[in-house]
Amino acid sequence: MFALPLRPPLWPLLLALGCHEPVSGAGSGQGAAPTLPAGSDRMSDCSAVNPGTSPIRRLTRLEYNNTVRDLLGDKLAPASSFAPEETAGGFNNNAQLLGVTSLLAEQYKSAAEKLAQAATANLASLLPCDPAADGEPACSEAFIQHFGERAFRRPLSAEELQRFKGGYAWGRANGDFRAGIQVVLEAMLQSPNFLYRPEFGGAALQQAPDVVRLTSWEMASRLSYFLWGSMPDATLLDLARADQLNTPEQIQGQVKRLLTDPRAVARIEDFHTQWLDLDRVASLERDPQVYAGYSATIPQALARETLSFVNEVLWKGDRSLRTLLTAPYTYMNADLARFYGVSGPTGDAFEKVPLDASIYSGLLTQGGLLASHSSALSTSPVQRGKFVREQFLCQALPPPPADIVIRPPDLNPNLTTRERFAQHSADARCASCHHLLDPVGLGFESFDAVGRYRSVENGKPIDASGELVNADVAGRFNGAAGLASLLAQSQDVAACMVTQWARYAYGRIETETDACMLQKLRTSFAASNLDILDLVVRLTETDAFLYRKVVTP
């Protein structure tokens, strides 16, 4: 088998082939802006076309893995070992933070080499031609054009074709046909046009000369990466080639098709994984001697419980945010049922389990969410209250005073958590912030630090009363189910859900120029009975999705 030469002679060639190519918009990201309130009136003429900012998007680790899977059939998910993304606005796909460090560049290089070597080991399945029958020069050119269109999600330019032909010729001169194809693969997989999603748009709009509609190729990528987290499939590429992704009808037809694919289920799971911090659930560590029944399999089961519940509501139920907040059921397998101490499934499969509606209520009583916002030995009203404020109300909390040492009250076997945390109300410096957190978090006290229901703590009856302030549904409540009932009726919570999805869909934090778009989305979301999947569709109908500002390369 032919082995490529040592890396030093090849690396400059890869730079010449793909890694120096300019990509538009690299510096166009916007910084974080304050979350717009639900009733923001900071809106200009909402009849004008205003896409806001459209920063260039680099593939996240998940998108990279999905793309090489669909492009090459790779199942090893090489990006799982890449340097993790930073998060902004709660999500890891914020374009402003998706740069390429020297470490990540080395990881891209290593992954490209391994992927190219693995792909060319089964060369016949990769080629659109037969080099023996068609001739190596013609077949190599056909491969470059065919694979390049898929890898870059657009046709290659004449200049690009010539450069990659030169790369193939270099590899062929140093080995065989397979070696030449391997060089091309390595170069393409390290090109900014593969790693990023460049967008220039087409002709400017007559009514807005500084705005352009995306080309059909660019729209194919926006659709597939939003709804699948991966490259366009053959149908989208065929439509792009025919320039048939221009009209609202053409685009919405593909939105509906993409949402019927299992990749859409995985994509929406990724949103909920990030929104609900489910990665924290999967990495939970608890002492089984303190929490009987806790084992190494429980964290993954807790995370799967939440995603199974979300999938039930969104793909089999009424798809409503209200149901996500109030449904009196969950999903368990035998291990999780034993852990919770309830009768339920007897096998490994997760099954729907009805619950007591006076105690349990949708997402807020999911064991994983409660456990991941607790400490190792006790519950944490502060963490739980903060989670509700930030994730469901989109409220950014001020940092604590610089001279305060942050430490939860010491454990005391004679006191309940509510009694221990009473000092936050007594200390004026703490109370200014904790009055937003503790009265919310204490409403979850019927659930211990691993998310299991309890009625007593340290021999004393649980008091799970709470109060929600600084919200449109402010008031007192009893228990997590009572809080969920308040939040399910909140316009602030509905507006926050729109904001969270917009951040995820557009890869950026909202600015004041997005006020019109967000208000339209909130209005349609309310009219749909808070239908999450309808919101996903509406996100593809906005100016932010269909257009971008003019870019000068």
Side-chain angles (χ1 to χ4, degrees):
M1 181 179 294
F2 175 80
L4 285 173
L6 295 177
R7 293 302 104 185
L10 180 57
W11 182 237
L13 176 69
L14 296 180
L15 287 172
L17 287 177
C19 293
H20 79 289
E21 299 167 33
V23 178
S24 164
S28 60
Q30 291 289 327
T35 301
L36 296 176
S40 175
D41 59 359
R42 293 176 290 178
M43 290 185 272
S44 58
D45 178 11
C46 285
S47 64
V49 178
N50 185 2
T53 60
S54 299
I56 186 172
R57 306 274 291 274
R58 174 175 66 75
L59 302 185
T60 64
R61 289 176 299 163
L62 178 62
E63 292 167 344
Y64 183 102
N65 283 339
N66 289 346
T67 300
V68 297
R69 176 201 65 201
D70 294 342
L71 182 64
L72 294 167
D74 172 77
K75 297 181 181 179
L76 299 179
S80 299
S81 62
F82 290 177
E85 300 88 2
E86 296 182 62
T87 61
F91 300 100
N92 68 3
N93 65 345
N94 187 280
Q96 186 183 24
L97 300 181
L98 292 177
V100 177
T101 63
S102 57
L103 171 61
L104 185 56
E106 284 295 322
Q107 292 172 328
Y108 283 147
K109 174 177 175 287
S110 177
E113 292 168 357
K114 293 175 182 177
L115 288 166
Q117 185 174 19
T120 53
N122 185 17
L123 195 56
S125 65
L126 194 65
L127 299 175
C129 51
D130 181 352
D134 302 321
E136 289 187 3
C139 191
S140 64
E141 181 171 341
F143 167 76
I144 291 169
Q145 291 180 318
H146 173 74
F147 187 84
E149 181 181 274
R150 297 178 66 229
F152 292 179
R153 286 84 70 179
R154 59 162 176 79
L156 299 183
S157 68
E159 180 185 357
E160 288 170 329
L161 176 60
Q162 291 305 311
R163 285 208 305 271
F164 286 115
K165 286 172 66 175
Y168 163 79
W170 184 89
R172 180 66 180 88
N174 286 276
D176 56 11
F177 179 78
R178 186 194 68 81
I181 297 298
Q182 186 170 332
V183 169
V184 172
L185 282 173
E186 287 189 32
M188 286 187 176
L189 293 176
Q190 294 176 78
S191 168
N193 288 287
F194 170 73
L195 298 170
Y196 286 81
R197 290 157 48 194
E199 295 172 343
F200 296 94
L205 301 184
Q206 184 175 8
Q207 69 273 34
D210 63 335
V211 174
V212 292
R213 181 183 292 276
L214 296 185
T215 68
S216 286
W217 292 101
E218 293 163 350
M219 181 55 63
S221 284
R222 278 209 178 182
L223 288 169
S224 66
Y225 279 101
F226 172 38
L227 298 174
W228 285 352
S230 187
M231 61 178 285
D233 66 353
T235 299
L236 282 172
L237 293 176
D238 287 344
L239 290 169
R241 200 176 298 111
D243 197 21
Q244 293 295 306
L245 288 173
N246 288 312
T247 70
E249 294 76 18
Q250 291 169 344
I251 293 169
Q252 290 311 305
Q254 290 308 300
V255 170
K256 293 176 182 177
R257 182 181 71 85
L258 268 59
L259 284 173
T260 65
D261 190 282
R263 283 171 285 191
V265 177
R267 191 58 167 171
I268 290 177
E269 282 190 357
D270 180 59
F271 167 84
H272 287 89
T273 295
Q274 296 196 57
W275 173 47
L276 300 171
D277 289 337
L278 292 186
D279 285 341
R280 294 178 57 175
V281 178
S283 60
L284 277 176
E285 294 184 2
R286 294 290 186 269
D287 187 345
Q289 294 186 348
V290 177
Y291 300 104
Y294 192 86
S295 69
T297 64
I298 294 302
Q300 289 293 339
L302 290 170
R304 178 44 52 188
E305 173 191 10
T306 298
L307 292 179
S308 297
F309 168 74
V310 168
N311 287 338
E312 166 70 24
V313 174
L314 297 191
W315 302 104
K316 299 178 183 178
D318 64 7
R319 316 191 309 200
S320 176
L321 173 60
R322 290 195 181 96
T323 305
L324 285 177
L325 290 168
T326 62
Y329 58 80
T330 191
Y331 269 73
M332 301 180 196
N333 63 2
D335 283 348
L336 202 52
R338 282 193 296 269
F339 174 71
Y340 281 136
V342 301
S343 59
T346 58
D348 293 334
F350 278 75
E351 300 176 18
K352 190 175 181 179
V353 177
L355 300 171
D356 184 342
S358 67
I359 298 173
Y360 298 94
S361 187
L363 289 171
L364 293 185
T365 53
Q366 295 278 306
L369 302 187
L370 293 163
S372 63
H373 293 88
S374 298
S375 63
L377 297 175
S378 68
T379 62
S380 176
V382 174
Q383 287 191 49
R384 290 173 172 182
K386 183 173 182 285
F387 176 71
V388 171
R389 291 281 177 191
E390 292 182 341
Q391 304 309 110
F392 291 90
L393 288 163
C394 291
Q395 294 180 353
L397 298 169
D403 60 340
I404 289 182
V405 178
I406 302 175
R407 190 184 71 180
D410 294 334
L411 293 176
N412 186 324
N414 298 313
L415 298 177
T416 66
T417 300
R418 180 180 290 273
E419 290 169 335
R420 290 191 299 114
F421 275 76
Q423 72 180 58
H424 284 164
S425 299
D427 188 328
R429 294 184 303 166
C430 296
S432 62
C433 184
H434 280 277
H435 84 285
L436 297 173
L437 302 175
D438 294 16
V440 175
L442 288 168
F444 293 96
E445 278 302 292
S446 291
F447 297 90
D448 67 13
V450 289
R452 292 188 293 204
Y453 177 75
R454 62 182 182 177
S455 58
V456 297
E457 180 188 12
N458 292 334
K460 297 181 179 181
I462 291 290
D463 177 2
S465 62
E467 184 176 11
L468 179 65
V469 299
N470 198 34
D472 63 328
V473 289
R476 301 193 64 81
F477 61 88
N478 185 43
L483 175 60
S485 180
L486 283 179
L487 297 180
Q489 303 306 315
S490 168
Q491 293 183 28
D492 289 351
V493 170
C496 180
M497 187 83 271
V498 170
T499 297
Q500 300 282 21
W501 264 108
R503 290 174 177 177
Y504 184 79
Y506 306 140
R508 60 180 178 84
I509 295 175
E510 66 283 356
T511 69
E512 291 190 12
T513 60
D514 296 310
C516 288
M517 173 193 72
L518 290 173
Q519 191 56 52
K520 289 177 182 178
L521 288 170
R522 290 164 182 158
T523 299
S524 64
F525 190 44
S528 72
N529 191 32
L530 309 188
D531 185 323
I532 299 293
L533 292 189
D534 184 76
L535 172 59
V536 170
V537 173
R538 299 294 181 186
L539 285 161
T540 67
E541 299 174 348
T542 65
D543 291 350
F545 194 85
L546 299 173
Y547 309 105
R548 68 163 298 133
K549 293 287 188 179
V550 170
V551 172
T552 302

